[in-house]
Amino acid sequence: MAKSRAFDVRRQTGFVPLALLCFAVLYLPIILLVVYSFNAGQSIAIWEGFSWQWYVKAWQNEKVQDATILSLIIAASASVIATSAAVMAALATTRTRGFRGYTFVFALINQPLMIPEIVTAVALLIFFAMIKVATGYTGLMYLIIAHSAFCIPFAYMPIRARLQGMDLNLEQAGADLYGTPWRVFRRVTLPQLWPGVLAGSMLAFVISLDDVVITEFVKSAGQDTLPTYMLGQMRRVVTPEVNAISTALLAISVALVIAFYLLSKSGTQTNRE
Amino acid sequence: MAQASDTQATRRRWLLLSPALLILLFAASGPLLIVVIYSFLTPGDYGGVVWKFSTDAWFNVVVERDFFDDTLSFSDAHLSIFWRSVKLSLMTTLVAFIVGFPTAYFIATRPKDKRDIWMLLIMIPFWTNLLIRTFAVMEIIRNEGVVNSLLIGLGIIDQPIQMLFTEFAITLGMFYVYLPLMVLPIYAAMERFDFSLVEAAYDLYASRWRVLRRVIFPIVKPGVIAGSILVFVPSLGAYVTPRVLGGGKQLMLGNLIELQFGQGRNWPLGAALSITLLAIVMVALIVYVRAAGREEMSHG
Amino acid sequence: MGPFGLTPLKPFNRGTMIEISGLSKTFGSGANAFTALDDINVEIRQNEFFTLLGPSGCGKTTLLRSIAGFVDPTKGSLTIEGQDVLPLPPYARPVNTVFQNYALFPHMTVAQNIGFGLEMQDRPKAEIKQTVGEMLELVQMTAMADRMTSQISGGQQQRVALARALAPRPKVLLLDEPLSALDFKLRKEMQIELKRLQSETGITFVFVTHDQEEALTMSDRIAVMSAGRILQIGGPKDIYDHPAERFVADFIGDTNFLDATLQSVDGDVATVTLPSGKSVAARAVQGGSQSGAVTLAVRPEHATLTKESGLLDGVLQNIVYFGTDTHYHVTLDAGSAFVVREQNQPNAGELCEVGDTVGISFEAGVGQVLRD
């Protein structure tokens, strides 16, 4: 009996169905969530026809509007602050032979990735409560600083990767051709670092936009972001309005993640800015 | 600049590092020390603390003082929450491995130019809002959700199965939100895997199962360990998923901690519980670093 | 007149361009200290093609980078046209570098790369444009001016790197193994191109290579380096014919080493006794010993093989045919090996056969006594 197919060394029984199941599991809930945001009825399980009504409702909901604006303000500020700090930190920590304190710096920068968010959230709740009592200030800065802190490692990673992949000779060539350190940074380093900076700031933006736990603990009264607003809503009867808000947030995140992917793909192929 | 002396270079480096370090010390690491201090204070009547030294909070992590006769006993409530946290985290890790390993393998065996796309498909859910993904799971398994509606519609069951607000729901939710963290490091290890080793093993009479167990698995093991830690650690500290899918009935450590700062009004206990959680996570990380280091040594 | 408005100088008119004395560089400290440069003394003249030759790790690149300003020497002095440049950062030194892998800015076009140095010097736009045009013409890249550097070939990148370094009209052009990334044929072309540019521009070239052939064909003078020290400085013929040390003789070309005894030294001429007991006149080495055991270096092509007894006698072990010439491997009566290289003649018959007893001769003054 002749074999119909060549022996495939890579095949493992059952792996392909399991993998496809994995993708199905990952996407099915999200797809259903998106689909039912367009449901004409109240239900999130019975399809009653297509409608934009939940989007309109969400759009007209003043609390949603306020939360959206707050989310965007915090994400934008935290992204700018975290990215600037990350660029400087990356410049100081890459392309150098280890220096005293390197382990400390590395651990500190990556700390938000290692420590459970709830612990940091509790710590900030206590710490900021002390400051709030001492100064009386209850504004947005607490949230912005807290978000900046946990966004730093996310901004740092792609920038650092980009810097490490960069040819040191290029900066030396710049210095050799009469460029002062600042001009070399501006004309040679930064243009090449740019995709990394952009990618890092987008990651930071997404991470800030999506945060629930730390925001929930740090926020003062009336400072709801979209995620904390939604968390509050989930205790009640859920209407597709939450689906609509979720879909909008999803769309922003997915767009940014795909942009990030394309940016990091462009890799060494830098174009003129 | 070559002319810059060592001290100048050092000053420049710390100057560049200072914004990031200041922010992190102020809003991430520094406050952890205050948590340690708070765990040794006396709770205030309406939240907050009274600045009086006390080790009660630490006792209360595992021990309960009877309200009437002051006798001490193991705190069943706390211990069961600890146990649930560890149990559900381990289950989550195990299920994530069972599904994640074949998925990583599947992606790593796709043509080179397609792998990135598959990985992007894994990463997109990961970078989208955790709350939204938890919410999506909730919608599916609630009594009037898709699964129950479907089963009733098909006539398999008459009454909806109560899935929401159970340990099953929490495990499913955590598996769902942390699965990409399992796939990512396993894939990274698998991508570098040299399949001529597999050919050599088949040549030497190994069966498919034995190739997987004796050749592929040992080589990608560091990735599996990394993935397990990456899933286990956030599961242990999970707050949003058990809150939404456990519905306040099935508490995990994260919820217990939050409770002390809310209705419980026992900030020192909350602080002590936080430090306990942190300690468990640190132990897990150290085990991982050790294991990874050993792997590197034996393969390097 | 060359494109720089400079007339290339005749060798005898050349003044000093770079003067290096007592230059040392130690990396690290304590037990990990590594001496990359050890008391370097060298004078490089105007419009000279000066080559630093040595194996990898010998310190030649460190020396080049010290001149460019990327390495801060531990001690010593370095002047360019009499000016002490050690306190100056790289961007204030009148030298430009052609980097080993070119280091072309990937986010700029060919023309933008070439104009970068002039732009950094804040030269007027019109002047930059004109100079870039001249440079493009000089390296025959005018048609590629607006290409991105990733869109041109390796040889073309090499030309752009050259043009970029020449555009600011540096006093010295430093070249760090610039031809090593090119294939054989391109390398030959670029060698000729570099010589042309050097003579047309009147600029001093300091060239780093580990390729002895490249060094011999292109240089006015060569400094042979090993383990952070300069062993010998001289013209190509000087270095090849009269290596002063065993390392130099061994690194450049093939050499036979003979244990000999020094009888007398009279100026340049040394009389040595060979292992066979016969005496011959050889070239003495500066600063060498006056008597006793020495090593004598004899190039294979400077010796001839005879059927009769010669200065040295031995048994022919092996004949290796190379097309242009043939190598005869002889085991001397004293036990050591000796290679003779004979130019092949189309109509000549077999000189000897393996196993024959043969004699080896070379003329007086051909052998070189080495400093030990």
Side-chain angles (χ1 to χ4, degrees), chain A residues 10 26-27 45 111 235 243, chain B residues 29 105 121 139 176 243:
Chain A
R10 293 168 180 238
L26 276 179
Y27 281 92
Q111 184 250 52
R235 290 183 181 147
N243 291 44
Chain B
S29 299
Y105 186 92
L121 283 177
E139 294 210 337
Y176 179 61
R243 170 166 163 184

Side-chain angles (χ1 to χ4, degrees), chain A residues 7-12 15-16 18-20 22-23 25-27 29-30 32-33 44-45 81 85 88-89 91-93 96 99-100 105 108-109 111-112 114-116 118-119 122-131 145-146 148-149 152 154 181 203 206-207 209-210 212-213 216-217 227 230-231 234-235 238 242-243 246 249-250 253-254 257-258 261 265, chain B residues 1 13-14 16-17 19-21 23-29 31-32 34-35 38 51 98-99 101-103 105-110 116-118 120-122 124-125 127-129 131-133 135-140 142 144-146 149 175-176 179 195 198-199 202 208 211-212 216 233 237 239-240 243-244 254 257-258 261 267 274 277-278 281-282 285:
Chain A
F7 185 83
D8 181 2
V9 294
R10 293 168 180 238
R11 208 179 75 85
Q12 283 293 342
F15 272 30
V16 171
L18 263 173
L20 295 179
C22 171
F23 285 104
V25 163
L26 276 179
Y27 281 92
I30 296 179
L32 281 173
L33 179 126
I44 46 170
I81 294 172
M88 289 195 263
L91 283 171
T93 50
T96 167
F99 55 92
R100 199 182 301 188
V105 168
L108 198 60
I109 288 177
Q111 184 250 52
M114 296 185 289
I115 290 180
I118 184 79
V119 176
V122 162
L124 290 176
L125 170 73
I126 295 175
F127 181 51
F128 287 164
M130 289 166 82
I131 300 181
I145 291 290
S148 301
I152 283 178
F154 292 96
L203 270 195
V206 169
I207 291 293
L209 201 63
D210 288 355
V212 193
V213 181
E216 178 79 3
F217 279 73
M230 283 163 56
L231 186 65
M234 277 176 206
R235 290 183 181 147
V238 182
V242 179
N243 291 44
S246 300
L249 257 178
L250 270 177
S253 298
V254 171
V257 170
I258 290 175
Y261 166 79
K265 272 232 101 172
Chain B
M1 214 171 89
R13 177 183 304 136
W14 287 107
L16 280 171
L17 279 172
L21 298 191
I23 294 172
L24 287 161
L25 280 175
F26 182 79
S29 299
L32 291 179
I34 300 175
V35 177
Y38 263 52
W51 284 83
I98 292 171
V99 175
F101 187 88
T103 306
Y105 186 92
F106 170 81
I107 298 173
T109 50
R110 293 309 98 189
D116 278 359
I117 297 290
W118 284 107
L120 182 68
L121 283 177
I122 292 284
I124 283 177
W127 289 113
T128 56
N129 199 313
L131 180 66
I132 295 175
R133 283 181 293 149
F135 174 56
V137 173
M138 177 178 168
E139 294 210 337
I140 285 195
R142 64 167 61 228
E144 56 275 24
V146 174
S149 305
F175 156 74
Y176 179 61
L179 177 61
F195 271 93
V198 171
E199 288 175 7
Y202 281 128
R208 282 197 195 276
V211 162
L212 183 64
I216 300 174
V233 165
Y239 167 74
V240 171
R243 170 166 163 184
V244 173
I257 291 170
E258 194 253 1
F261 290 92
W267 287 29
S274 300
L277 171 60
L278 193 57
V281 167
M282 285 300 146
L285 285 177

Side-chain angles (χ1 to χ4, degrees), chain A residues 4 47 146 177 210:
Chain A
S4 58
W47 182 250
L177 293 162
D210 288 355

Side-chain angles (χ1 to χ4, degrees), chain A residues 97 167 169-181 183-184 187-188 191-192 268-273, chain C residues 65 70 90-91 93-97 99 103-109 112 116-117 119-122 148 164 168:
Chain A
R97 279 182 292 168
D167 187 356
N169 276 332
L170 292 177
E171 282 160 47
Q172 295 193 339
D176 188 62
L177 293 162
Y178 314 106
T180 55
R183 290 182 91 172
V184 169
R187 290 293 314 277
V188 179
Q192 297 194 69
T268 44
Q269 278 230 315
T270 326
N271 291 319
R272 276 165 78 184
E273 258 84 38
Chain C
R65 290 166 64 81
F70 297 118
Y91 56 83
R93 296 192 186 192
V95 299
N96 288 140
T97 308
F99 290 83
L104 295 178
F105 303 126
H107 56 297
M108 298 180 193
T109 62
Q112 285 172 327
F116 187 84
E119 201 187 318
M120 289 296 117
Q121 290 180 321
D122 297 312
M148 298 305 288
R164 185 179 71 175

Side-chain angles (χ1 to χ4, degrees), chain B residues 211-232:
Chain B
V211 162
L212 183 64
R213 220 171 53 96
R214 296 289 306 280
V215 180
I216 300 174
F217 188 75
I219 291 178
V220 300
K221 205 168 117 198
V224 174
I225 296 173
S228 302
I229 290 291
L230 283 179
V231 172
F232 182 76

